[in-house]
Amino acid sequence: IICHMPTASTKLLFFSGYPTFTTLAAIMINVFPFGTTAWKTNLLSCLIGGLANVLLYINVKRFSGSDAAGLLTAGWCGFSRIFWMWSIQGEVFSFSNFFAA
């Protein structure tokens, strides 16, 4: 909820490394003509969480050389309670997961 207000007005709330998420959310709000501001921000968080999971699969596959290891790691992370919980809320945690992957 705290991220929705500054994205609607394109003002930065987080100065500690999250202005990129706020900027992407503002773009998402202006590009999609349907849904509420909160729904659009949650959708952005879901998309970024999904991309983080894809990057995790690619990196594990590249470093281990095993498709199974990549799938197991991405599946474990993607279906874990905490990853799932923060990927469906309009917060910056999925964005942090994306950069960590």
Side-chain angles (χ1 to χ4, degrees), residues 51-63:
L51 287 174
N53 212 9
V54 169
L55 280 178
L56 181 65
Y57 165 74
I58 290 170
N59 286 330
V60 170
K61 179 183 171 188
R62 182 174 20 154
F63 289 122

Side-chain angles (χ1 to χ4, degrees), residues 31-77:
V31 167
F32 286 102
F34 53 87
T36 63
T37 301
W39 186 83
K40 293 173 191 178
T41 308
N42 291 339
L43 178 63
L44 175 66
S45 187
C46 290
L47 292 174
I48 293 172
L51 287 174
N53 212 9
V54 169
L55 280 178
L56 181 65
Y57 165 74
I58 290 170
N59 286 330
V60 170
K61 179 183 171 188
R62 182 174 20 154
F63 289 122
S64 70
S66 170
D67 284 334
L71 285 173
L72 285 173
T73 305
W76 172 78
C77 183

